Amino acid sequence: MAIDKARLIEVVQNAGKSLTLQRCLIIETLAASKLPMSAYKLRDQINITQQNLNISTVYRVLDFWIGLGLIHKIESANRFMVCSDEHRHQFHVIQTCTQCENVRESCELASQITMQISHEFRALENQVIEIQGTCSDCQVNTDS
Ligand SMILES: [Zn+2]
Ligand SMILES: [Zn+2]
């Protein structure tokens, strides 16, 4: 997935922060990965070609992006992914395949939950809702 740099800059500036080299490096490396990555794998990937990032820096930068809703933590797998929903819904709904570890972020489900939730209950921003199951590719493989 290619990352929209203009949008990144906009979100970071709206939050009153700046886009540092490390922040850029981490979100771009994660965006280039097909599957969600652990913090350690992300660090190793970056350190092949770049500066020596230590793991606490990686976690700190991940937390920065998680706070802005541009990176999500997949709790069940302890891995990280770049948000693929450009509509900035209040919620992020992620379907994770327990067999191939593939993830799919559903903009459709996120907007439905946002519409359905009661106005009496004011939900926090940027919550990740994770749904575990089997993706369509893996369903085909087990059926045959
Ligand atoms: Zn998202
Ligand atoms: Zn799968």
Side-chain angles (χ1 to χ4, degrees), residues 97 99-102 134-135 137-138:
C97 176
Q99 296 187 40
C100 69
E101 298 182 341
N102 210 341
T134 313
C135 75
D137 287 349
C138 290

Side-chain angles (χ1 to χ4, degrees), residues 4-19 64-65 68 70 86 88:
D4 182 350
K5 201 83 172 250
R7 182 188 162 219
L8 272 193
I9 292 167
E10 191 194 318
V11 173
V12 169
Q13 283 180 347
N14 285 347
K17 313 275 187 199
S18 57
L19 193 59
F64 170 81
W65 289 121
L68 294 178
L70 291 180
E86 74 272 19
R88 316 267 308 136

Side-chain angles (χ1 to χ4, degrees), residues 10-28:
E10 191 194 318
V11 173
V12 169
Q13 283 180 347
N14 285 347
K17 313 275 187 199
S18 57
L19 193 59
T20 64
L21 176 68
Q22 288 177 344
R23 287 170 179 169
C24 233
L25 215 59
I26 283 180
I27 199 164
E28 280 175 346

Side-chain angles (χ1 to χ4, degrees), residues 72 83-85 92 105:
H72 303 319
C83 178
S84 63
D85 185 350
H92 302 261
E105 181 160 3

Side-chain angles (χ1 to χ4, degrees), residues 37-102:
M37 289 171 107
S38 71
Y40 283 89
K41 192 161 174 213
L42 189 56
R43 180 202 59 182
D44 293 347
Q45 183 74 35
I46 290 168
N47 287 348
I48 291 171
T49 51
Q50 305 284 340
Q51 53 193 309
N52 262 354
L53 288 186
N54 61 44
I55 194 68
S56 58
T57 305
V58 174
Y59 274 116
R60 201 173 59 237
V61 173
L62 284 169
D63 280 343
F64 170 81
W65 289 121
I66 289 167
L68 294 178
L70 291 180
I71 284 180
H72 303 319
K73 182 179 185 189
I74 300 155
E75 293 286 347
S76 67
N78 200 17
R79 301 228 160 109
F80 301 88
M81 65 176 280
V82 174
C83 178
S84 63
D85 185 350
E86 74 272 19
H87 296 111
R88 316 267 308 136
H89 293 295
Q90 187 171 14
F91 303 101
H92 302 261
V93 182
I94 295 160
Q95 291 163 283
T96 65
C97 176
T98 53
Q99 296 187 40
C100 69
E101 298 182 341
N102 210 341

